[in-house]
């Protein structure tokens, strides 16, 4: 995937139409702080976070988003107390139980990114069922990064390529960015155009480390449970006013340089 292929999404002209295929990724952060600020257990923040996800997906397509990747559980989130980890696993189960039919009917293709190791067998079955049942859909792509870490994904891709070399199916000298990228769990979906993080934190916390190379970063000072289409609209408006250059020059600069 050439980094230039998403170029016209954000031309620096806020009035220019968005090109189809906009890919937005969201680090849904701040559930715990949202709950604590209300004197409630963190688990309630996570539960409200699911409602925010539902609202955001509903609003996304209308805003011109065709691909949405959300960070639901990181490879580092296993460090949290066992009870909170179990609650987060339970929420994934509950989400697929309650929403899969609706997603399927609305033409949403669901994929779950990340390592499949360490997950309970019923969670694995639900993930597989969600992917299989929505495999033929194409109108909107929802990717849920769950047990996902950018570094782990890069290591897994490197291992998969090395194993192909060991089997004699690939040659080390043929490795290039496109071939490497094809081994990431995000393939073949193109890299996100913008990555949003909620809650005011300004870091990636191991999200899409390869894919973020030329993503526009937007940090919004709102806890995830309060998020909705109006916040996504604000982020997309900000994105539209940006000019993506991919290390090159934009047309006016080329004219000025010649
Ligand atoms: C995001 O909210 C959800 C997950 C990381 C699973 P947090 O649980 O990180 O909430 P804060 O950041 O502690 O407020
Ligand atoms: C990133 O948030 C992971 C998810 C949103 C799923 P964290 O809350 O785990 O990140 P840190 O610990 O603040 O960096
Ligand atoms: Mg957090």
């Amino acid at each position: 995937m050439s980094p230039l292929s998403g170029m016209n999404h954000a031309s620096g002209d806020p009035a220019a139409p968005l090109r189809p295929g906009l890919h937005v990724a969201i680090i849904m952060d701040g559930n715990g702080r949202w709950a604590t600020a209300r004197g409630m257990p963190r688990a309630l923040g996570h539960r409200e976070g699911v409602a925010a996800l539902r609202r955001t997906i509903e609003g996304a397509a209308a805003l011109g988003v065709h691909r949405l990747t959300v960070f639901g559980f990181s490879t580092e989130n296993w460090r949290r107390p066992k009870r909170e980890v179990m609650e987060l696993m339970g929420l994934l189960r509950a989400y697929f139980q309650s929403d899969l039919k609706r997603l399927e009917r609305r033409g949403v293709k669901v994929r779950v990114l990340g390592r499949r190791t360490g997950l309970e067998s019923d969670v694995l079955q639900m993930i597989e069922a969600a992917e299989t049942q929505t495999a033929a859909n194409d109108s909107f792509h929802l990717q849920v990064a769950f047990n996902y870490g950018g570094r782990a994904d890069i290591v897994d891709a490197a291992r998969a390529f090395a194993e192909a070399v060991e089997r004699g199916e690939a040659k080390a000298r043929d490795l290039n960015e496109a071939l490497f990228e094809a081994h990431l769990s995000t393939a073949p979906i193109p890299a996100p155009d913008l990555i949003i993080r909620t809650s005011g934190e300004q870091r990636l916390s191991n999200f899409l480390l390869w894919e973020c190379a030329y993503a526009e970063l937007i940090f919004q000072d709102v806890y995830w449970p309060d998020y909705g289409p109006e916040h996504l609209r604000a982020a997309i408006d900000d994105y539209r006013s940006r000019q993506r250059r991919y290390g090159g020059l934009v047309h006016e600069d080329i004219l000025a340089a010649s």
Side-chain angles (χ1 to χ4, degrees), residues 100-189:
L100 186 59
K101 278 268 159 306
R102 185 169 26 175
L103 293 170
E104 195 184 336
R105 269 200 313 273
R106 298 210 172 171
V108 178
K109 184 181 185 120
V110 179
R111 278 179 86 207
V112 179
L113 310 175
R115 283 191 174 155
R116 300 286 160 105
T117 47
L119 300 177
E120 299 276 346
S121 60
D122 69 315
V123 172
L124 273 178
Q125 276 169 16
M126 278 187 167
I127 290 174
E128 279 157 20
E131 292 186 332
T132 312
Q133 285 170 37
T134 62
N137 289 345
D138 201 32
S139 63
F140 186 92
H141 291 234
L142 172 67
Q143 305 198 100
V144 183
F146 198 86
N147 197 20
Y148 173 89
R151 287 183 173 181
D153 212 44
I154 291 170
V155 168
D156 290 350
R159 187 185 300 108
F161 180 74
E163 285 169 356
V165 172
E166 272 178 2
R167 289 193 302 270
E169 293 165 12
K171 292 201 168 61
R173 66 169 171 273
D174 292 337
L175 187 62
N176 56 27
E177 289 183 14
L179 183 55
F180 185 78
E181 200 168 76
H183 290 81
L184 293 168
S185 76
T186 47
I189 300 287

Side-chain angles (χ1 to χ4, degrees), residues 28-33 42 77 80 197 199 201 203:
M28 309 182 289
D29 195 26
N31 294 351
R33 279 166 283 165
R42 290 175 57 86
N77 287 149
R80 296 190 179 195
R197 182 171 187 145
S199 90
E201 304 294 359
R203 54 177 173 262

Side-chain angles (χ1 to χ4, degrees), residues 76-88:
E76 289 68 39
N77 287 149
W78 293 103
R79 294 176 185 156
R80 296 190 179 195
K82 200 165 174 219
R83 184 169 157 184
E84 179 159 342
V85 169
M86 282 169 60
E87 283 159 358
L88 290 165

Side-chain angles (χ1 to χ4, degrees), residues 46-118:
H46 294 313
R47 224 173 287 171
E48 282 304 312
V50 174
L53 176 61
R54 209 168 272 140
R55 285 195 298 274
T56 306
I57 294 171
E58 293 281 327
L63 290 167
V65 177
H66 288 88
R67 301 174 177 121
L68 183 68
T69 301
V70 293
F71 204 4
F73 189 85
S74 78
T75 44
E76 289 68 39
N77 287 149
W78 293 103
R79 294 176 185 156
R80 296 190 179 195
K82 200 165 174 219
R83 184 169 157 184
E84 179 159 342
V85 169
M86 282 169 60
E87 283 159 358
L88 290 165
M89 295 293 151
L91 274 187
L92 184 75
R93 283 187 186 96
Y95 177 64
F96 280 147
Q97 263 160 9
S98 60
D99 286 46
L100 186 59
K101 278 268 159 306
R102 185 169 26 175
L103 293 170
E104 195 184 336
R105 269 200 313 273
R106 298 210 172 171
V108 178
K109 184 181 185 120
V110 179
R111 278 179 86 207
V112 179
L113 310 175
R115 283 191 174 155
R116 300 286 160 105
T117 47

